[in-house]
Amino acid sequence: ETGVTQTPRHLVMGMTNKKSLKCEQHLGHNAMYWYKQSAKKPLELMFVYSLEERVENNSVPSRFSPECPNSSHLFLHLHTLQPEDSALYLCASSQSPEREGQGTQYFGPGTRLLVL
Amino acid sequence: KNEVEQSPQNLTAQEGEFITINCSYSVGISALHWLQQHPGGGIVSLFMLSSGKKKHGRLIATINIQEKHSSLHITASHPRDSAVYICAVLPLTSGTYKYIFGTGTRLKVLA
């Protein structure tokens, strides 16, 4: 049973639109992650927030903008995306990696994004 | 070439069969995870291993650190086991959260 929720589950947007993905975790964790999963490719880590501070930006284009207002919520703001950005975007949470070491990450169900 | 390779990429089995999925990696690691992803996207962590063997129900995971290899076994497979199984490793040099993921093994168990 996952304690990580994501909305929306599906999103279709045009290249000029602005949209946001939302992630919420109910597990008391203090680290949150955004991953991108494209067809036939491994999961790619995009951003990591630990104790509400961004600790990792994995060379992600600026058209993706994360926001972590508190330890339970994580957003991914999208603007002027490209068709190749179509993918499954997964959120995960864990105990703060700096404090817990190899903490297990708990994943949300993902948002399937299609950019037209 | 990905630093984490899984085999096979696709696997179809009959209900009740014993299934093995393999993961080989090329870097020194501090931990390895096996993840299960069902259709629709949700991912569940099955095991975290740093040595030896773990068992949970019909699932068994083993790791050989010297050979840089891990296996996930499913005994008495069932159609509900149909999913993508993903191996993820935590390299020794990458800090505590930068996992490297395999591309997954797509398993289909037929009734």
Side-chain angles (χ1 to χ4, degrees), chain A residues 57-112:
Chain A
N57 178 346
N58 212 26
S59 303
V60 179
S62 59
R63 57 184 184 271
F64 295 91
S65 174
E67 179 190 359
C68 187
N70 55 61
S71 60
S72 298
H73 294 86
L74 184 66
F75 295 90
L76 188 63
H77 304 299
L78 316 171
H79 66 98
T80 58
L81 294 193
Q82 304 298 311
E84 59 264 29
D85 297 322
S86 299
L88 180 69
Y89 288 85
L90 289 155
C91 173
S93 71
S94 73
Q95 292 298 347
S96 174
E98 290 81 11
R99 293 166 65 184
E100 294 293 329
Q102 306 137 12
T104 297
Q105 294 181 18
Y106 294 79
F107 287 83
T111 295
R112 192 161 296 280

Side-chain angles (χ1 to χ4, degrees), chain A residues 10-47:
Chain A
H10 301 271
L11 179 62
V12 180
M13 60 187 288
M15 289 190 283
T16 57
N17 291 159
K18 287 185 181 181
K19 296 287 184 184
S20 295
L21 310 185
K22 180 182 175 182
C23 175
E24 185 173 359
Q25 60 94 3
H26 312 275
L27 300 169
H29 291 158
N30 48 23
M32 297 186 78
Y33 311 76
W34 278 118
Y35 287 93
K36 177 183 178 182
Q37 187 179 38
S38 304
K40 300 192 188 299
K41 293 173 86 173
L43 275 104
E44 302 169 53
L45 180 65
M46 299 175 73
F47 301 104

Side-chain angles (χ1 to χ4, degrees), chain A residues 1-2 9 33 35 37 40-45 48 55-56 58 88 90 96-98 101-110 112, chain B residues 2 4 10 30-31 33 35 37 39-45 47-50 84 86 90 96-104 106:
Chain A
E1 179 182 353
T2 180
R9 294 294 308 277
Y33 311 76
Y35 287 93
Q37 187 179 38
K40 300 192 188 299
K41 293 173 86 173
L43 275 104
E44 302 169 53
L45 180 65
V48 181
V55 297
E56 182 75 24
N58 212 26
L88 180 69
L90 289 155
S96 174
E98 290 81 11
Q102 306 137 12
T104 297
Q105 294 181 18
Y106 294 79
F107 287 83
R112 192 161 296 280
Chain B
N2 199 21
V4 179
N10 295 281
S30 56
H33 281 263
L35 308 170
Q37 185 173 29
I43 292 178
V44 175
S45 177
F47 294 103
M48 185 178 75
L49 295 163
S50 54
V84 176
I86 301 170
L90 186 63
T96 55
Y97 51 80
K98 290 186 73 172
Y99 283 87
I100 302 174
F101 295 84
T103 53
R106 187 173 299 275

Side-chain angles (χ1 to χ4, degrees), chain B residues 8-108:
Chain B
Q9 291 186 4
N10 295 281
L11 180 57
T12 300
Q14 291 293 324
E15 183 174 359
E17 283 186 12
F18 180 83
I19 289 164
T20 296
I21 298 170
N22 296 298
C23 175
S24 295
Y25 51 91
S26 57
V27 296
I29 68 168
S30 56
L32 180 146
H33 281 263
W34 280 103
L35 308 170
Q36 180 191 55
Q37 185 173 29
H38 279 284
I43 292 178
V44 175
S45 177
L46 298 174
F47 294 103
M48 185 178 75
L49 295 163
S50 54
S51 65
K53 176 179 173 179
K54 286 190 176 179
K55 184 175 188 291
H56 181 69
R58 295 180 295 105
L59 301 177
I60 303 167
T62 63
I63 188 168
N64 185 318
I65 294 291
Q66 288 74 27
E67 294 187 3
K68 294 187 169 61
H69 182 268
S70 176
S71 293
L72 177 68
H73 306 285
I74 305 175
T75 61
S77 59
H78 189 275
R80 65 175 173 266
D81 298 324
S82 298
V84 176
Y85 292 83
I86 301 170
C87 173
V89 303
L90 186 63
L92 285 166
T93 56
S94 74
T96 55
Y97 51 80
K98 290 186 73 172
Y99 283 87
I100 302 174
F101 295 84
T103 53
T105 293
R106 187 173 299 275
L107 171 66
K108 187 171 185 179

